[in-house]
Amino acid sequence: MTEPDLGRGVLHPDRAASLIRVDRREPAPGPARFVEFYWVVRWDCRGRPPHEQKVLSHPHVHLVFEEPRALVYGVDRTLFVRRLEGAGHVLGVKFRPGAFRPFAGRPVSALADRSLPAADFFGAGADRMNEEVLRTPADPDRLAALADAFLTPRLPEPDPAADRAAAVVDRITSSPGLHRVDQVAAEFGIGVRQLQRLFAEYVGASPKWVLRRARLHEAARHADSGADIDWAALAADLGYADQAHLTRDFTAATGTPPARYAQRDGASEH
C-alpha cells in the first residue's frame, strides 16, 4: 500500500479502492537518505464484512505505527495479508532497500518474514510515537511531520554499501530486461557471490527473489489492467521459458493462477 492508486503489488486494487485510501509523503532531507517515502493508510469497513487485503511485498523494510504497538516488518517473501475491520489508520515508513541495515545493527536477512517491536530498534520512544500517531487525526501531512521529527534525531551515519544495495534493487525493479542474477552482477562489476552477500546483509532477500518478485509485480499489473492478455507473450517478455513457468510462479505467490486472477468478476477476496 504505497500510493494514491494503492500502488504496485496490491492485489485486486479495484476491490480495495472503495474501502482503502493510501497517501504518501516525501521525507525531509535528512531522513530522505534512508527513507523512500512515508505512507498513510486509512480504511472504513463499517457496516461491511472485514476486508482481507493481499499484497505482493517489495524488497523493503517498513516501520509501521499501528494498533496495538509499532512494529518493524522485514521483507515479506511470502504473500502479505492484512485483515481490516471497522475504521482506522496507520502510518508507515518505507525504507530504501538496504537502508535499514544501519538501524538494525545486524544482517537484514535476519528480519525477513518477521515483524518485531519497533522499540527493539528505536527504544521506548517508538511506543510513545505510536500513541501519538493513533490519537492524531489521519492527516498525511501532520503524520509525515511526526515521522520526520521522530527519525531525524535517530539517523545513523550513511553507509555506502546500503546506497549500493539500493542502486542494484532500483536497477532490477526498473529494468524488465534483467532476468538473471549473473546479468545484474556483471552490470555492477561484482561477482555473483558478492552480490548475494550484499543482498543478505542489506536487502533481506536474495537477488533471485527480487528479480522474480519484480516480474510478478509486472504480471499482476497486466492482470489488473482489465485488458485481454496473451499470457504466452507476456511470459516471454518477462523472461520465462514458457507460459507454464509464469503460471507456476504466479500461482505459488498469490494462490491463484494468473488467468483466473484476471477475471475481475470472480469470487470476492473478502
Side-chain angles (χ1 to χ4, degrees), residues 1-3 5-17 20 22 41 51-58 79-80 217 220-221 224 261:
M1 302 178 184
T2 56
E3 18 186 86
D5 65 354
L6 298 190
R8 199 176 182 89
V10 174
L11 300 184
H12 294 300
D14 55 326
R15 296 176 185 168
I20 301 169
V22 184
V41 173
H51 175 76
E52 196 172 77
Q53 184 58 53
K54 299 178 180 180
V55 181
L56 282 174
S57 301
H58 296 250
L79 181 66
F80 180 81
H217 282 155
R221 184 183 70 80
D224 282 315
Y261 174 91

PDB file of all heavy atoms in Angstrom, residues 1-3 5-17 20 22 41 51-58 79-80 217 220-221 224 261:
ATOM      1  N   MET A   1       0.852  -1.179   0.000  1.00  0.00           N
ATOM      2  CA  MET A   1       0.000   0.000   0.000  1.00  0.00           C
ATOM      3  C   MET A   1       0.891   1.233   0.000  1.00  0.00           C
ATOM      4  O   MET A   1       1.366   1.652   1.036  1.00  0.00           O
ATOM      5  CB  MET A   1      -0.872  -0.018   1.238  1.00  0.00           C
ATOM      6  CG  MET A   1      -1.735  -1.246   1.372  1.00  0.00           C
ATOM      7  SD  MET A   1      -2.671  -1.192   2.884  1.00  0.00           S
ATOM      8  CE  MET A   1      -3.470  -2.780   2.805  1.00  0.00           C
ATOM      9  N   THR A   2       1.078   1.786  -1.166  1.00  0.00           N
ATOM     10  CA  THR A   2       2.136   2.772  -1.213  1.00  0.00           C
ATOM     11  C   THR A   2       1.770   4.097  -1.846  1.00  0.00           C
ATOM     12  O   THR A   2       2.487   5.063  -1.654  1.00  0.00           O
ATOM     13  CB  THR A   2       3.330   2.193  -2.005  1.00  0.00           C
ATOM     14  OG1 THR A   2       2.895   1.796  -3.287  1.00  0.00           O
ATOM     15  CG2 THR A   2       3.915   1.007  -1.281  1.00  0.00           C
ATOM     16  N   GLU A   3       0.733   4.203  -2.604  1.00  0.00           N
ATOM     17  CA  GLU A   3       0.452   5.443  -3.292  1.00  0.00           C
ATOM     18  C   GLU A   3      -1.047   5.642  -3.468  1.00  0.00           C
ATOM     19  O   GLU A   3      -1.830   4.748  -3.172  1.00  0.00           O
ATOM     20  CB  GLU A   3       1.167   5.512  -4.644  1.00  0.00           C
ATOM     21  CG  GLU A   3       1.633   4.218  -5.188  1.00  0.00           C
ATOM     22  CD  GLU A   3       2.452   4.342  -6.438  1.00  0.00           C
ATOM     23  OE1 GLU A   3       3.656   4.545  -6.324  1.00  0.00           O
ATOM     24  OE2 GLU A   3       1.909   4.208  -7.521  1.00  0.00           O
ATOM     25  N   ASP A   5      -3.062   5.423  -5.832  1.00  0.00           N
ATOM     26  CA  ASP A   5      -3.756   4.393  -6.596  1.00  0.00           C
ATOM     27  C   ASP A   5      -3.546   3.021  -5.971  1.00  0.00           C
ATOM     28  O   ASP A   5      -3.749   2.008  -6.624  1.00  0.00           O
ATOM     29  CB  ASP A   5      -3.304   4.411  -8.055  1.00  0.00           C
ATOM     30  CG  ASP A   5      -1.832   4.040  -8.214  1.00  0.00           C
ATOM     31  OD1 ASP A   5      -1.135   3.887  -7.188  1.00  0.00           O
ATOM     32  OD2 ASP A   5      -1.384   3.907  -9.354  1.00  0.00           O
ATOM     33  N   LEU A   6      -3.159   3.004  -4.705  1.00  0.00           N
ATOM     34  CA  LEU A   6      -2.867   1.827  -3.888  1.00  0.00           C
ATOM     35  C   LEU A   6      -1.491   1.257  -4.152  1.00  0.00           C
ATOM     36  O   LEU A   6      -0.867   0.724  -3.250  1.00  0.00           O
ATOM     37  CB  LEU A   6      -3.936   0.740  -4.030  1.00  0.00           C
ATOM     38  CG  LEU A   6      -5.341   1.122  -3.577  1.00  0.00           C
ATOM     39  CD1 LEU A   6      -6.223  -0.120  -3.557  1.00  0.00           C
ATOM     40  CD2 LEU A   6      -5.350   1.796  -2.237  1.00  0.00           C
ATOM     41  N   GLY A   7      -0.981   1.357  -5.376  1.00  0.00           N
ATOM     42  CA  GLY A   7       0.420   1.017  -5.566  1.00  0.00           C
ATOM     43  C   GLY A   7       0.655  -0.375  -6.117  1.00  0.00           C
ATOM     44  O   GLY A   7      -0.159  -1.287  -6.008  1.00  0.00           O
ATOM     45  N   ARG A   8       1.801  -0.521  -6.710  1.00  0.00           N
ATOM     46  CA  ARG A   8       2.223  -1.774  -7.327  1.00  0.00           C
ATOM     47  C   ARG A   8       2.349  -2.861  -6.262  1.00  0.00           C
ATOM     48  O   ARG A   8       2.936  -2.654  -5.212  1.00  0.00           O
ATOM     49  CB  ARG A   8       3.573  -1.531  -8.000  1.00  0.00           C
ATOM     50  CG  ARG A   8       3.986  -2.533  -9.047  1.00  0.00           C
ATOM     51  CD  ARG A   8       5.295  -2.029  -9.643  1.00  0.00           C
ATOM     52  NE  ARG A   8       5.784  -2.876 -10.696  1.00  0.00           N
ATOM     53  CZ  ARG A   8       5.474  -2.742 -11.984  1.00  0.00           C
ATOM     54  NH1 ARG A   8       4.658  -1.779 -12.343  1.00  0.00           N
ATOM     55  NH2 ARG A   8       5.975  -3.543 -12.900  1.00  0.00           N
ATOM     56  N   GLY A   9       1.804  -4.019  -6.552  1.00  0.00           N
ATOM     57  CA  GLY A   9       1.892  -5.135  -5.620  1.00  0.00           C
ATOM     58  C   GLY A   9       0.623  -5.368  -4.834  1.00  0.00           C
ATOM     59  O   GLY A   9       0.427  -6.457  -4.280  1.00  0.00           O
ATOM     60  N   VAL A  10      -0.262  -4.362  -4.755  1.00  0.00           N
ATOM     61  CA  VAL A  10      -1.551  -4.539  -4.087  1.00  0.00           C
ATOM     62  C   VAL A  10      -2.457  -5.341  -5.014  1.00  0.00           C
ATOM     63  O   VAL A  10      -2.724  -4.924  -6.142  1.00  0.00           O
ATOM     64  CB  VAL A  10      -2.193  -3.182  -3.735  1.00  0.00           C
ATOM     65  CG1 VAL A  10      -3.593  -3.384  -3.168  1.00  0.00           C
ATOM     66  CG2 VAL A  10      -1.315  -2.434  -2.737  1.00  0.00           C
ATOM     67  N   LEU A  11      -2.913  -6.485  -4.555  1.00  0.00           N
ATOM     68  CA  LEU A  11      -3.709  -7.358  -5.406  1.00  0.00           C
ATOM     69  C   LEU A  11      -5.173  -6.922  -5.419  1.00  0.00           C
ATOM     70  O   LEU A  11      -5.711  -6.487  -4.409  1.00  0.00           O
ATOM     71  CB  LEU A  11      -3.593  -8.804  -4.936  1.00  0.00           C
ATOM     72  CG  LEU A  11      -2.173  -9.395  -4.951  1.00  0.00           C
ATOM     73  CD1 LEU A  11      -2.207 -10.868  -4.558  1.00  0.00           C
ATOM     74  CD2 LEU A  11      -1.486  -9.219  -6.303  1.00  0.00           C
ATOM     75  N   HIS A  12      -5.784  -7.035  -6.595  1.00  0.00           N
ATOM     76  CA  HIS A  12      -7.169  -6.603  -6.817  1.00  0.00           C
ATOM     77  C   HIS A  12      -7.399  -5.182  -6.283  1.00  0.00           C
ATOM     78  O   HIS A  12      -8.269  -4.958  -5.433  1.00  0.00           O
ATOM     79  CB  HIS A  12      -8.147  -7.588  -6.177  1.00  0.00           C
ATOM     80  CG  HIS A  12      -8.137  -8.941  -6.808  1.00  0.00           C
ATOM     81  ND1 HIS A  12      -8.450  -9.150  -8.141  1.00  0.00           N
ATOM     82  CD2 HIS A  12      -7.838 -10.164  -6.298  1.00  0.00           C
ATOM     83  CE1 HIS A  12      -8.354 -10.447  -8.412  1.00  0.00           C
ATOM     84  NE2 HIS A  12      -7.984 -11.073  -7.322  1.00  0.00           N
ATOM     85  N   PRO A  13      -6.625  -4.214  -6.773  1.00  0.00           N
ATOM     86  CA  PRO A  13      -6.764  -2.853  -6.246  1.00  0.00           C
ATOM     87  C   PRO A  13      -8.136  -2.245  -6.484  1.00  0.00           C
ATOM     88  O   PRO A  13      -8.567  -1.379  -5.724  1.00  0.00           O
ATOM     89  CB  PRO A  13      -5.673  -2.074  -6.998  1.00  0.00           C
ATOM     90  CG  PRO A  13      -5.401  -2.880  -8.231  1.00  0.00           C
ATOM     91  CD  PRO A  13      -5.603  -4.306  -7.817  1.00  0.00           C
ATOM     92  N   ASP A  14      -8.838  -2.698  -7.535  1.00  0.00           N
ATOM     93  CA  ASP A  14     -10.170  -2.154  -7.784  1.00  0.00           C
ATOM     94  C   ASP A  14     -11.125  -2.493  -6.654  1.00  0.00           C
ATOM     95  O   ASP A  14     -11.988  -1.690  -6.286  1.00  0.00           O
ATOM     96  CB  ASP A  14     -10.709  -2.672  -9.128  1.00  0.00           C
ATOM     97  CG  ASP A  14     -10.700  -4.192  -9.224  1.00  0.00           C
ATOM     98  OD1 ASP A  14      -9.783  -4.813  -8.651  1.00  0.00           O
ATOM     99  OD2 ASP A  14     -11.598  -4.751  -9.870  1.00  0.00           O
ATOM    100  N   ARG A  15     -10.989  -3.678  -6.077  1.00  0.00           N
ATOM    101  CA  ARG A  15     -11.843  -4.064  -4.957  1.00  0.00           C
ATOM    102  C   ARG A  15     -11.499  -3.281  -3.701  1.00  0.00           C
ATOM    103  O   ARG A  15     -12.367  -2.982  -2.887  1.00  0.00           O
ATOM    104  CB  ARG A  15     -11.706  -5.560  -4.681  1.00  0.00           C
ATOM    105  CG  ARG A  15     -12.181  -6.453  -5.815  1.00  0.00           C
ATOM    106  CD  ARG A  15     -11.923  -7.905  -5.493  1.00  0.00           C
ATOM    107  NE  ARG A  15     -12.267  -8.757  -6.632  1.00  0.00           N
ATOM    108  CZ  ARG A  15     -11.921 -10.037  -6.718  1.00  0.00           C
ATOM    109  NH1 ARG A  15     -11.235 -10.599  -5.750  1.00  0.00           N
ATOM    110  NH2 ARG A  15     -12.267 -10.748  -7.779  1.00  0.00           N
ATOM    111  N   ALA A  16     -10.220  -2.992  -3.529  1.00  0.00           N
ATOM    112  CA  ALA A  16      -9.781  -2.307  -2.315  1.00  0.00           C
ATOM    113  C   ALA A  16     -10.098  -0.823  -2.330  1.00  0.00           C
ATOM    114  O   ALA A  16     -10.253  -0.202  -1.269  1.00  0.00           O
ATOM    115  CB  ALA A  16      -8.278  -2.513  -2.128  1.00  0.00           C
ATOM    116  N   ALA A  17     -10.201  -0.229  -3.517  1.00  0.00           N
ATOM    117  CA  ALA A  17     -10.276   1.228  -3.616  1.00  0.00           C
ATOM    118  C   ALA A  17     -11.496   1.816  -2.928  1.00  0.00           C
ATOM    119  O   ALA A  17     -11.464   2.963  -2.470  1.00  0.00           O
ATOM    120  CB  ALA A  17     -10.254   1.649  -5.087  1.00  0.00           C
ATOM    121  N   ILE A  20     -10.284   1.532   1.018  1.00  0.00           N
ATOM    122  CA  ILE A  20      -8.965   1.928   1.492  1.00  0.00           C
ATOM    123  C   ILE A  20      -8.496   3.163   0.738  1.00  0.00           C
ATOM    124  O   ILE A  20      -8.637   3.252  -0.483  1.00  0.00           O
ATOM    125  CB  ILE A  20      -7.936   0.788   1.261  1.00  0.00           C
ATOM    126  CG1 ILE A  20      -8.372  -0.479   2.006  1.00  0.00           C
ATOM    127  CG2 ILE A  20      -6.552   1.216   1.712  1.00  0.00           C
ATOM    128  CD1 ILE A  20      -7.572  -1.703   1.625  1.00  0.00           C
ATOM    129  N   VAL A  22      -4.907   5.443   0.359  1.00  0.00           N
ATOM    130  CA  VAL A  22      -3.475   5.469   0.648  1.00  0.00           C
ATOM    131  C   VAL A  22      -2.894   6.778   0.148  1.00  0.00           C
ATOM    132  O   VAL A  22      -3.117   7.168  -1.004  1.00  0.00           O
ATOM    133  CB  VAL A  22      -2.746   4.285  -0.031  1.00  0.00           C
ATOM    134  CG1 VAL A  22      -1.273   4.282   0.365  1.00  0.00           C
ATOM    135  CG2 VAL A  22      -3.394   2.969   0.342  1.00  0.00           C
ATOM    136  N   VAL A  41      -2.287   4.834   5.488  1.00  0.00           N
ATOM    137  CA  VAL A  41      -3.426   4.046   5.038  1.00  0.00           C
ATOM    138  C   VAL A  41      -4.607   4.348   5.950  1.00  0.00           C
ATOM    139  O   VAL A  41      -4.495   4.275   7.173  1.00  0.00           O
ATOM    140  CB  VAL A  41      -3.116   2.536   5.066  1.00  0.00           C
ATOM    141  CG1 VAL A  41      -4.377   1.728   4.751  1.00  0.00           C
ATOM    142  CG2 VAL A  41      -2.032   2.191   4.069  1.00  0.00           C
ATOM    143  N   HIS A  51     -12.360  -6.855   5.539  1.00  0.00           N
ATOM    144  CA  HIS A  51     -11.704  -6.926   4.231  1.00  0.00           C
ATOM    145  C   HIS A  51     -10.313  -7.512   4.411  1.00  0.00           C
ATOM    146  O   HIS A  51      -9.530  -7.045   5.241  1.00  0.00           O
ATOM    147  CB  HIS A  51     -11.591  -5.531   3.622  1.00  0.00           C
ATOM    148  CG  HIS A  51     -10.825  -5.494   2.337  1.00  0.00           C
ATOM    149  ND1 HIS A  51     -11.348  -5.932   1.141  1.00  0.00           N
ATOM    150  CD2 HIS A  51      -9.560  -5.081   2.054  1.00  0.00           C
ATOM    151  CE1 HIS A  51     -10.446  -5.788   0.179  1.00  0.00           C
ATOM    152  NE2 HIS A  51      -9.354  -5.273   0.705  1.00  0.00           N
ATOM    153  N   GLU A  52      -9.998  -8.520   3.633  1.00  0.00           N
ATOM    154  CA  GLU A  52      -8.681  -9.150   3.679  1.00  0.00           C
ATOM    155  C   GLU A  52      -7.879  -8.683   2.474  1.00  0.00           C
ATOM    156  O   GLU A  52      -8.170  -9.073   1.340  1.00  0.00           O
ATOM    157  CB  GLU A  52      -8.822 -10.676   3.685  1.00  0.00           C
ATOM    158  CG  GLU A  52      -7.561 -11.396   4.112  1.00  0.00           C
ATOM    159  CD  GLU A  52      -7.792 -12.881   4.305  1.00  0.00           C
ATOM    160  OE1 GLU A  52      -7.867 -13.589   3.281  1.00  0.00           O
ATOM    161  OE2 GLU A  52      -7.913 -13.329   5.458  1.00  0.00           O
ATOM    162  N   GLN A  53      -6.901  -7.830   2.718  1.00  0.00           N
ATOM    163  CA  GLN A  53      -6.106  -7.280   1.622  1.00  0.00           C
ATOM    164  C   GLN A  53      -4.802  -8.050   1.473  1.00  0.00           C
ATOM    165  O   GLN A  53      -4.073  -8.254   2.441  1.00  0.00           O
ATOM    166  CB  GLN A  53      -5.791  -5.796   1.867  1.00  0.00           C
ATOM    167  CG  GLN A  53      -5.057  -5.144   0.710  1.00  0.00           C
ATOM    168  CD  GLN A  53      -5.845  -5.249  -0.592  1.00  0.00           C
ATOM    169  OE1 GLN A  53      -7.015  -4.861  -0.646  1.00  0.00           O
ATOM    170  NE2 GLN A  53      -5.213  -5.767  -1.638  1.00  0.00           N
ATOM    171  N   LYS A  54      -4.519  -8.448   0.240  1.00  0.00           N
ATOM    172  CA  LYS A  54      -3.305  -9.203  -0.058  1.00  0.00           C
ATOM    173  C   LYS A  54      -2.340  -8.329  -0.845  1.00  0.00           C
ATOM    174  O   LYS A  54      -2.754  -7.579  -1.732  1.00  0.00           O
ATOM    175  CB  LYS A  54      -3.643 -10.465  -0.852  1.00  0.00           C
ATOM    176  CG  LYS A  54      -4.561 -11.413  -0.096  1.00  0.00           C
ATOM    177  CD  LYS A  54      -4.929 -12.633  -0.922  1.00  0.00           C
ATOM    178  CE  LYS A  54      -5.851 -13.562  -0.135  1.00  0.00           C
ATOM    179  NZ  LYS A  54      -6.231 -14.757  -0.927  1.00  0.00           N
ATOM    180  N   VAL A  55      -1.054  -8.456  -0.512  1.00  0.00           N
ATOM    181  CA  VAL A  55      -0.030  -7.621  -1.139  1.00  0.00           C
ATOM    182  C   VAL A  55       1.185  -8.469  -1.468  1.00  0.00           C
ATOM    183  O   VAL A  55       1.681  -9.218  -0.601  1.00  0.00           O
ATOM    184  CB  VAL A  55       0.410  -6.463  -0.205  1.00  0.00           C
ATOM    185  CG1 VAL A  55       1.457  -5.585  -0.895  1.00  0.00           C
ATOM    186  CG2 VAL A  55      -0.789  -5.630   0.238  1.00  0.00           C
ATOM    187  N   LEU A  56       1.659  -8.358  -2.699  1.00  0.00           N
ATOM    188  CA  LEU A  56       2.964  -8.919  -3.065  1.00  0.00           C
ATOM    189  C   LEU A  56       4.013  -7.877  -2.670  1.00  0.00           C
ATOM    190  O   LEU A  56       4.191  -6.879  -3.366  1.00  0.00           O
ATOM    191  CB  LEU A  56       3.025  -9.193  -4.571  1.00  0.00           C
ATOM    192  CG  LEU A  56       2.327 -10.447  -5.084  1.00  0.00           C
ATOM    193  CD1 LEU A  56       2.377 -10.478  -6.609  1.00  0.00           C
ATOM    194  CD2 LEU A  56       2.961 -11.705  -4.513  1.00  0.00           C
ATOM    195  N   SER A  57       4.663  -8.112  -1.562  1.00  0.00           N
ATOM    196  CA  SER A  57       5.545  -7.103  -0.974  1.00  0.00           C
ATOM    197  C   SER A  57       6.761  -6.825  -1.845  1.00  0.00           C
ATOM    198  O   SER A  57       7.139  -7.611  -2.718  1.00  0.00           O
ATOM    199  CB  SER A  57       5.996  -7.552   0.415  1.00  0.00           C
ATOM    200  OG  SER A  57       4.890  -7.756   1.256  1.00  0.00           O
ATOM    201  N   HIS A  58       7.393  -5.706  -1.541  1.00  0.00           N
ATOM    202  CA  HIS A  58       8.605  -5.258  -2.216  1.00  0.00           C
ATOM    203  C   HIS A  58       9.822  -5.545  -1.331  1.00  0.00           C
ATOM    204  O   HIS A  58       9.666  -5.828  -0.139  1.00  0.00           O
ATOM    205  CB  HIS A  58       8.510  -3.756  -2.500  1.00  0.00           C
ATOM    206  CG  HIS A  58       7.407  -3.398  -3.450  1.00  0.00           C
ATOM    207  ND1 HIS A  58       7.644  -2.953  -4.731  1.00  0.00           N
ATOM    208  CD2 HIS A  58       6.057  -3.421  -3.314  1.00  0.00           C
ATOM    209  CE1 HIS A  58       6.498  -2.716  -5.336  1.00  0.00           C
ATOM    210  NE2 HIS A  58       5.518  -2.988  -4.498  1.00  0.00           N
ATOM    211  N   LEU A  79       3.200 -14.034   0.826  1.00  0.00           N
ATOM    212  CA  LEU A  79       2.099 -13.138   0.477  1.00  0.00           C
ATOM    213  C   LEU A  79       1.660 -12.427   1.746  1.00  0.00           C
ATOM    214  O   LEU A  79       1.200 -13.070   2.696  1.00  0.00           O
ATOM    215  CB  LEU A  79       0.938 -13.930  -0.134  1.00  0.00           C
ATOM    216  CG  LEU A  79      -0.282 -13.117  -0.582  1.00  0.00           C
ATOM    217  CD1 LEU A  79       0.076 -12.197  -1.743  1.00  0.00           C
ATOM    218  CD2 LEU A  79      -1.428 -14.050  -0.971  1.00  0.00           C
ATOM    219  N   PHE A  80       1.795 -11.106   1.777  1.00  0.00           N
ATOM    220  CA  PHE A  80       1.399 -10.336   2.950  1.00  0.00           C
ATOM    221  C   PHE A  80      -0.119 -10.173   2.940  1.00  0.00           C
ATOM    222  O   PHE A  80      -0.707  -9.781   1.925  1.00  0.00           O
ATOM    223  CB  PHE A  80       2.063  -8.964   2.943  1.00  0.00           C
ATOM    224  CG  PHE A  80       1.709  -8.110   4.125  1.00  0.00           C
ATOM    225  CD1 PHE A  80       2.346  -8.285   5.338  1.00  0.00           C
ATOM    226  CD2 PHE A  80       0.720  -7.147   4.031  1.00  0.00           C
ATOM    227  CE1 PHE A  80       2.023  -7.504   6.437  1.00  0.00           C
ATOM    228  CE2 PHE A  80       0.384  -6.358   5.120  1.00  0.00           C
ATOM    229  CZ  PHE A  80       1.040  -6.539   6.335  1.00  0.00           C
ATOM    230  N   HIS A 217       5.234  -8.627 -10.015  1.00  0.00           N
ATOM    231  CA  HIS A 217       4.559  -7.333  -9.945  1.00  0.00           C
ATOM    232  C   HIS A 217       4.072  -6.911 -11.333  1.00  0.00           C
ATOM    233  O   HIS A 217       2.958  -6.390 -11.492  1.00  0.00           O
ATOM    234  CB  HIS A 217       5.507  -6.269  -9.387  1.00  0.00           C
ATOM    235  CG  HIS A 217       5.666  -6.338  -7.906  1.00  0.00           C
ATOM    236  ND1 HIS A 217       6.789  -5.862  -7.276  1.00  0.00           N
ATOM    237  CD2 HIS A 217       4.857  -6.802  -6.922  1.00  0.00           C
ATOM    238  CE1 HIS A 217       6.657  -6.042  -5.968  1.00  0.00           C
ATOM    239  NE2 HIS A 217       5.500  -6.613  -5.735  1.00  0.00           N
ATOM    240  N   ALA A 220       1.087  -9.055 -12.344  1.00  0.00           N
ATOM    241  CA  ALA A 220      -0.123  -8.643 -11.631  1.00  0.00           C
ATOM    242  C   ALA A 220      -0.657  -7.332 -12.186  1.00  0.00           C
ATOM    243  O   ALA A 220      -1.880  -7.137 -12.286  1.00  0.00           O
ATOM    244  CB  ALA A 220       0.166  -8.523 -10.140  1.00  0.00           C
ATOM    245  N   ARG A 221       0.241  -6.430 -12.560  1.00  0.00           N
ATOM    246  CA  ARG A 221      -0.192  -5.154 -13.140  1.00  0.00           C
ATOM    247  C   ARG A 221      -0.969  -5.400 -14.435  1.00  0.00           C
ATOM    248  O   ARG A 221      -2.015  -4.792 -14.664  1.00  0.00           O
ATOM    249  CB  ARG A 221       1.024  -4.259 -13.414  1.00  0.00           C
ATOM    250  CG  ARG A 221       0.655  -2.874 -13.937  1.00  0.00           C
ATOM    251  CD  ARG A 221       1.903  -2.067 -14.255  1.00  0.00           C
ATOM    252  NE  ARG A 221       2.607  -2.564 -15.414  1.00  0.00           N
ATOM    253  CZ  ARG A 221       2.271  -2.309 -16.672  1.00  0.00           C
ATOM    254  NH1 ARG A 221       1.212  -1.564 -16.940  1.00  0.00           N
ATOM    255  NH2 ARG A 221       2.977  -2.801 -17.679  1.00  0.00           N
ATOM    256  N   ASP A 224      -4.412  -6.901 -13.638  1.00  0.00           N
ATOM    257  CA  ASP A 224      -5.356  -5.934 -13.065  1.00  0.00           C
ATOM    258  C   ASP A 224      -5.776  -4.857 -14.055  1.00  0.00           C
ATOM    259  O   ASP A 224      -6.636  -4.031 -13.728  1.00  0.00           O
ATOM    260  CB  ASP A 224      -4.749  -5.273 -11.823  1.00  0.00           C
ATOM    261  CG  ASP A 224      -4.815  -6.171 -10.598  1.00  0.00           C
ATOM    262  OD1 ASP A 224      -5.875  -6.778 -10.372  1.00  0.00           O
ATOM    263  OD2 ASP A 224      -3.801  -6.264  -9.875  1.00  0.00           O
ATOM    264  N   TYR A 261      -7.011 -15.110 -11.848  1.00  0.00           N
ATOM    265  CA  TYR A 261      -6.872 -13.856 -11.112  1.00  0.00           C
ATOM    266  C   TYR A 261      -7.393 -12.680 -11.936  1.00  0.00           C
ATOM    267  O   TYR A 261      -8.009 -11.751 -11.409  1.00  0.00           O
ATOM    268  CB  TYR A 261      -5.404 -13.631 -10.761  1.00  0.00           C
ATOM    269  CG  TYR A 261      -5.116 -12.287 -10.125  1.00  0.00           C
ATOM    270  CD1 TYR A 261      -5.137 -12.131  -8.749  1.00  0.00           C
ATOM    271  CD2 TYR A 261      -4.839 -11.167 -10.910  1.00  0.00           C
ATOM    272  CE1 TYR A 261      -4.893 -10.894  -8.171  1.00  0.00           C
ATOM    273  CE2 TYR A 261      -4.604  -9.932 -10.344  1.00  0.00           C
ATOM    274  CZ  TYR A 261      -4.626  -9.803  -8.968  1.00  0.00           C
ATOM    275  OH  TYR A 261      -4.402  -8.572  -8.403  1.00  0.00           O
TER     276      TYR A 261
END
